[in-house]
């Protein structure tokens, strides 16, 4: 029902070996009594400590993701929502207009675990393998949270109407993932 890997349930595989997006997908269909509990119930599977602040609403899930970025170097956190093959991307593509929860996909972070409902096949690509797959050198990616939002660096491939920010993750079929950046 939750898509939790059987080897994780049996203790044959550590939680830390499972990518962030896949762990988020386990909670995609979970119902919580309070909206903040969508985030707070996930603290243990990420080994994250957050001060509980009932009344903050969806901001609890944003705070959780910000804490994950600081502690877990896994770009699958950014691979939520709908996906489209590269040849389907254009300015009118419905795949680029809304996330699974109905929020605009113009945000780097998801608004709820439900946004990860299709992320159970994702996996992290090691920095070494990621760099080997690119025809150019890349700096070690770092993400920091500032008063103005999140700052990070990813390899960018420019196209006519958009750019692709490449993520060090795999869709399970050998397909790389990227964020679509549009003005």
């Amino acid at each position: 029902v939750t898509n939790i890997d059987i080897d994780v349930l049996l203790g044959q595989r550590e939680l830390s070996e499972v990518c962030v997006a896949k762990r988020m997908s386990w909670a995609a269909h979970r119902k919580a009594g309070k909206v903040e509990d969508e985030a707070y119930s996930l603290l243990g599977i990420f080994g994250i400590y957050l001060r509980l602040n009932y009344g903050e609403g969806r901001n609890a899930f944003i705070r959780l993701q910000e804490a994950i970025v600081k502690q877990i170097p896994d770009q699958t956190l950014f691979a939520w929502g709908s996906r489209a093959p590269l040849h389907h991307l254009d300015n009118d593509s419905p795949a680029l207009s809304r996330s699974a929860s109905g929020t605009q996909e113009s945000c780097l972070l998801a608004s709820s675990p439900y946004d990860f409902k299709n992320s159970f096949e994702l996996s992290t690509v090691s920095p070494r393998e990621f760099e080997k797959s690119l025809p150019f050198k890349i700096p070690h990616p770092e993400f920091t949270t500032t008063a103005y939002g999140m700052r990070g660096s990813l390899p960018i491939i420019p196209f006519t109407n958009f750019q692709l920010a490449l993520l060090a993750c795999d869709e399970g079929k050998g397909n790389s993932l990227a964020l679509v950046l549009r003005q």
Side-chain angles (χ1 to χ4, degrees):
V1 171
T2 61
N3 285 321
I4 299 174
D5 298 356
I6 192 73
D7 54 346
V8 172
L9 290 173
L10 294 175
Q12 299 167 344
R13 185 173 172 204
E14 295 294 322
L15 273 173
S16 61
E17 296 173 24
V18 180
C19 77
V20 168
K22 187 176 219 172
R23 286 186 261 175
M24 287 287 193
S25 77
W26 297 341
H29 298 286
R30 187 162 187 253
K31 301 294 182 216
K34 296 185 183 215
V35 69
E36 295 90 349
D37 286 333
E38 289 179 354
Y40 301 155
S41 66
L42 298 173
L43 297 174
I45 69 168
F46 292 109
I48 300 291
Y49 171 80
L50 282 183
R51 182 181 44 79
L52 304 185
N53 183 12
Y54 286 98
E56 71 177 323
R58 292 258 169 243
N59 194 49
F61 192 66
I62 299 298
R63 283 195 314 122
L64 171 65
Q65 292 171 94
E66 289 171 346
I68 290 170
V69 165
K70 290 176 184 174
Q71 294 184 32
I72 304 172
D74 183 336
Q75 296 172 16
T76 65
L77 178 66
F78 309 125
W80 56 271
S82 58
R83 295 189 185 88
L86 183 58
H87 64 276
H88 286 156
L89 298 180
D90 61 38
N91 287 332
D92 300 320
S93 175
L96 300 179
S97 62
R98 296 204 164 275
S99 73
S101 66
T103 59
Q104 290 294 329
E105 281 197 347
S106 60
C107 299
L108 183 59
L109 300 176
S111 63
S112 81
Y114 187 75
D115 290 329
F116 290 91
K117 71 178 182 151
N118 296 319
S119 300
F120 56 89
E121 292 185 359
L122 293 182
S123 61
T124 302
V125 176
S126 73
R128 171 176 263 155
E129 290 300 313
F130 186 56
E131 190 170 315
K132 282 178 24 182
S133 71
L134 299 173
F136 47 84
K137 288 277 188 206
I138 58 170
H140 182 72
E142 289 185 26
F143 295 91
T144 56
T145 302
T146 71
Y148 298 102
M150 187 165 298
R151 174 179 284 174
S153 61
L154 294 169
I156 303 287
I157 298 176
F159 285 87
T160 305
N161 298 325
F162 58 91
Q163 297 177 337
L164 294 180
L166 303 177
L167 296 174
C169 55
D170 183 278
E171 193 176 24
K173 304 167 195 139
N175 297 328
S176 298
L177 296 176
L179 298 174
V180 177
L181 308 176
R182 299 186 303 170
Q183 291 204 350

